[in-house]
Amino acid sequence: PMSERVFELKAGPKAELDEIRAKMEEAKEMPAPVAYVSKQEMKDARVPLDYRDYCAHLLIPLNRCRESEFYLPWKCETLRNAYEKCQHNDYTRRIALKREAE
């Protein structure tokens, strides 16, 4: 029967996220984010103001790839996944900081 089956998650993004959370709880401190791209580089790459954050260093090559591949959804997947992961990590960092402030 289905109730006897046990499904286990494979090591992957969830395991990595759990590892990050465990490290954050141990340290009781959030690591400061690093901006890899200067404001001028973001301006030159025409990154919209709303997207000029700590993940812009991944957005610039992603947008170049999207333009060169005519925005085909199955192209540039690795860059898109890296960008989305960075966005998620930044979100979890901000949420943790907000909870600390409360």
Side-chain angles (χ1 to χ4, degrees):
M2 289 297 262
S3 62
E4 293 178 11
R5 289 187 181 176
V6 176
F7 295 98
E8 294 182 23
L9 290 175
K10 295 181 180 178
K14 176 150 180 16
E16 189 175 327
L17 183 60
D18 290 340
E19 183 180 327
I20 291 170
R21 287 180 179 152
K23 286 180 183 177
M24 286 176 8
E25 287 177 12
E26 287 175 16
K28 300 288 184 203
E29 186 175 301
M30 295 296 301
V34 179
Y36 296 101
V37 184
S38 70
K39 290 181 181 180
Q40 186 60 43
E41 289 171 316
M42 287 187 265
K43 184 178 178 182
D44 294 343
R46 299 181 315 175
V47 175
L49 292 175
D50 294 346
Y51 295 93
R52 295 183 186 186
D53 57 9
Y54 295 109
C55 299
H57 66 286
L58 297 169
L59 183 62
I60 293 170
L62 174 60
N63 283 342
R64 286 187 190 136
C65 179
R66 286 173 170 165
E67 289 172 9
S68 68
E69 298 294 340
F70 302 106
Y71 290 87
L72 294 172
W74 57 87
K75 301 286 186 170
C76 314
E77 285 183 344
T78 305
L79 289 170
R80 182 175 49 86
N81 289 337
Y83 176 71
E84 289 174 353
K85 180 180 176 185
C86 179
Q87 287 287 313
H88 178 74
N89 290 343
D90 188 45
Y91 171 77
T92 56
R93 181 188 64 82
R94 287 184 283 118
I95 292 298
L97 287 174
K98 183 178 178 185
R99 288 186 181 151
E100 284 179 12
E102 291 177 352

